Amino acid sequence: MPAILDLQRESNMQRSELESAKARLSLLESLVTQSHAMEGSSASTVESLQRQLASLRMETTQQKSQASRMETAYRDLLRNKSSLEEEKRHLEREKEELERRLENSSQEIAQLRANQCPQVSDTPVPDSLQRSKKVSRWDMESPDYQELKSEMTEVSASSLFQEHSSHSRLGAEDTGTAGCGELVWVGEPVTLRKAETIAGKYGVWMKDPEPASPYTRETTWRIDTVGTDIRQVFEYDSTDQFIQGYPSKVHILPRSMESTGAVIYRGSLYFQRRKSRILAKYDLRKETITVQKDLTNAGYHGQFPYSWGGYTDIDLAVDEMGLWAIYSTQKAKGAIVLSTLDPETLEIRQTWETNIRKQSVANSFMICGTLYTISSYSSPDAMIHFAYNTATSTRKLLKIHFENRYKYSSMVDYNPTERKLFAWDNFNMVTYDIRLSKM
């Protein structure tokens, strides 16, 4: 724009000079005409006037040529300006499109409540992370979000913690473990649906194995866990409604949660509060937190996560035995610690310390009181490679194939009612059939 203004000023000056030259030329032409009419005019005067006239005509021609060039340059600059403005508008449209994709929670809730939840056909984000000892950090809003790399090592640990309360150990006689057995096979993943936004790259979805009225075993819940203020819990009346992507209700938690370790059990959501080792019980019917309890000595916010990261320091699980916490402590030096929890008070009933390093496994889940761990969150040919039996306090090596179809499994949980594994794999919500051997 300054260049255009300079050219405009210069063009105006040239125009002014051109007009002045034209006036002088007209005057000289008038003088020449008069000189011819005058008697006794000298030839030298006429020749002088003619020379001045020729000089002025040449000067006028040059100024006209220069003015033409100035006009051409001015038009070129205007065209460039128009092109730049069009490019600016294009960039602004792209910016608006990106802002729409990252619209805030209130807008998303409004759209979902208006039953406007279109399915997105974006290609799954590829897993560019390879095994390494380095740590990379990422988050939509915070630079310290973790995606840790896997390293297959173990650490030594003690065999058993002392019991943390006077509660007796859960057993088959009081938990209804009929049909329990050891995991021997996992089927191929079946994809139910895909998340709509970037916030759904990681997440957790679940059903209640022991639902409380008005909920049923078909009621499904989903939480997108990318971000620093995770509060939305999407509720679906049925599996079909969940697959179609139309929630019947959206709960807004009074406290932010962290990671993909949440579970639904007996009509309540159990989750870890953000940047703390505090566990919370959220009553889905009353829509309020009824219990909060510190998980003693548990690592949190990146101290002992799974190998994929995501602040998965505390992973809650439900199986035939009840409610579990899978975590680690400084005392255990990063080895997995298992605790059974009272679902009413969140008090620890009993604790086991394994010798399986938590950051060496990608995910884990509980079946019939046994912990199973997965070797990789990204490999399509991963393995369920360790089992820790709390009944005998022993570990066992396994080789059960587990497919990460979309190459980024951030959550794997067991549903004891459906006898399936539920998983969240790179925007996709999937299930796995399983087979158990007889006890």
Side-chain angles (χ1 to χ4, degrees):
M1 288 305 295
I4 291 172
L5 293 174
D6 289 342
L7 281 171
Q8 286 177 335
R9 283 194 294 269
E10 191 171 346
S11 176
N12 290 335
M13 289 174 63
Q14 291 290 340
R15 287 175 185 276
S16 177
E17 291 178 3
L18 182 60
E19 291 300 324
S20 175
K22 284 180 179 179
R24 288 162 60 195
L25 179 61
S26 297
L27 178 61
L28 282 173
E29 286 176 343
S30 175
L31 289 173
V32 169
T33 303
Q34 290 176 11
S35 68
H36 283 295
M38 289 175 60
E39 292 181 359
S41 295
S42 66
S44 60
T45 304
V46 173
E47 289 176 3
S48 175
L49 288 173
Q50 286 177 342
R51 282 194 299 272
Q52 290 184 34
L53 178 61
S55 175
L56 282 170
R57 283 174 176 168
M58 184 179 297
E59 185 180 347
T60 302
T61 303
Q62 291 174 350
Q63 288 179 347
K64 283 182 178 179
S65 175
Q66 188 174 359
S68 177
R69 288 196 299 271
M70 295 287 291
E71 290 286 349
T72 302
Y74 179 67
R75 285 194 297 271
D76 289 343
L77 282 172
L78 287 177
R79 280 195 295 271
N80 289 338
K81 177 188 174 186
S82 177
S83 175
L84 288 170
E85 287 175 345
E86 179 61 31
E87 186 176 354
K88 178 184 175 184
R89 286 192 293 271
H90 177 69
L91 290 172
E92 286 175 346
R93 285 195 296 270
E94 286 187 350
K95 177 186 174 185
E96 289 171 2
E97 179 64 23
L98 289 172
E99 287 174 347
R100 279 196 294 272
R101 292 181 183 179
L102 297 173
E103 60 189 355
N104 58 38
S105 302
S106 61
Q107 290 172 324
E108 184 178 357
I109 293 172
Q111 289 175 350
L112 290 169
R113 285 177 176 169
N115 288 336
Q116 296 175 349
C117 299
Q119 294 294 326
V120 173
S121 59
D122 297 66
T123 2
V125 176
D127 174 26
S128 60
L129 299 177
Q130 303 296 328
R131 293 181 183 275
S132 168
K133 295 182 180 178
K134 297 180 182 177
V135 177
S136 62
R137 299 173 179 271
W138 178 87
D139 191 285
M140 283 177 63
E141 301 171 23
S142 169
D144 63 353
Y145 194 80
Q146 298 180 339
E147 289 185 355
L148 300 176
K149 312 296 177 62
S150 177
E151 177 188 11
M152 297 302 297
T153 57
E154 296 179 12
V155 295
S156 60
S158 60
S159 59
L160 189 65
F161 275 179
Q162 293 182 347
E163 196 164 333
H164 283 254
S165 71
S166 59
H167 290 81
S168 61
R169 180 175 177 174
L170 291 177
E173 65 275 7
D174 59 4
T175 56
T177 57
C180 263
E182 181 180 303
L183 181 67
V184 294
W185 174 84
V186 175
E188 293 183 354
V190 176
T191 305
L192 298 186
R193 65 164 300 182
K194 184 177 180 180
E196 301 93 352
T197 68
I198 188 66
K201 181 180 182 181
Y202 317 140
V204 54
W205 73 281
M206 50 229 156
K207 294 181 180 179
D208 193 337
E210 297 183 23
S213 180
Y215 305 118
T216 69
R217 289 180 178 178
E218 281 296 302
T219 310
T220 308
W221 288 268
R222 170 194 137 219
I223 307 171
D224 297 338
T225 60
V226 173
T228 57
D229 190 24
I230 303 163
R231 294 175 183 264
Q232 297 180 38
V233 182
F234 300 95
E235 179 184 305
Y236 305 84
D237 290 338
S238 66
T239 305
D240 288 340
Q241 194 181 65
F242 170 69
I243 292 171
Q244 293 169 6
Y246 299 110
S248 54
K249 188 173 186 177
V250 181
H251 299 263
I252 305 299
L253 299 176
R255 296 281 188 172
S256 295
M257 61 172 285
E258 189 159 82
S259 87
T260 59
V263 294
I264 301 283
Y265 187 51
R266 296 180 181 176
S268 293
L269 168 71
Y270 296 85
F271 66 93
Q272 173 196 354
R273 281 179 46 184
R274 182 172 182 262
K275 288 188 177 181
S276 78
R277 59 171 64 93
I278 296 174
L279 302 181
K281 176 183 178 181
Y282 174 82
D283 190 306
L284 291 160
R285 293 161 296 182
K286 298 177 182 177
E287 298 186 33
T288 183
I289 292 177
T290 57
V291 180
Q292 297 188 80
K293 185 70 177 177
D294 189 273
L295 186 60
T296 308
N297 299 322
Y300 65 95
H301 203 65
Q303 288 181 288
F304 305 111
Y306 290 130
S307 62
W308 78 267
Y311 300 135
T312 48
D313 303 74
I314 300 174
D315 188 12
L316 300 175
V318 174
D319 71 352
E320 293 81 357
M321 303 290 186
L323 182 63
W324 294 85
I326 305 166
Y327 58 104
S328 189
T329 64
Q330 290 290 347
K331 181 181 177 182
K333 299 178 182 178
I336 291 178
V337 176
L338 300 173
S339 292
T340 54
L341 304 177
D342 186 324
E344 297 301 319
T345 64
L346 292 177
E347 293 285 346
I348 294 176
R349 289 178 169 173
Q350 188 167 353
T351 297
W352 294 259
E353 184 181 322
T354 74
N355 60 350
I356 303 169
R357 187 170 181 264
K358 192 164 185 289
Q359 286 182 263
S360 72
V361 303
N363 262 297
S364 67
F365 53 90
M366 300 294 300
I367 299 180
C368 299
T370 296
L371 171 78
Y372 294 91
T373 64
I374 302 172
S375 63
S376 171
Y377 60 88
S378 59
S379 171
D381 297 315
M383 290 286 176
I384 295 174
H385 59 338
F386 290 129
Y388 183 89
N389 190 327
T390 58
T392 59
S393 299
T394 56
R395 190 193 74 171
K396 179 180 181 180
L397 287 172
L398 298 175
K399 288 186 177 180
I400 301 173
H401 180 259
F402 183 89
E403 179 185 349
N404 297 297
R405 176 163 294 175
Y406 302 102
K407 300 182 181 180
Y408 213 108
S409 293
S410 56
M411 161 254 169
V412 180
D413 279 339
Y414 170 64
N415 184 292
T417 301
E418 295 195 9
R419 286 289 173 91
K420 292 178 184 288
L421 296 179
F422 291 7
W424 194 298
D425 188 357
N426 204 5
F427 294 96
N428 294 276
M429 286 140 266
V430 301
T431 62
Y432 298 80
D433 290 329
I434 65 167
R435 189 178 301 135
L436 303 179
S437 67
K438 293 182 179 179
M439 294 292 285

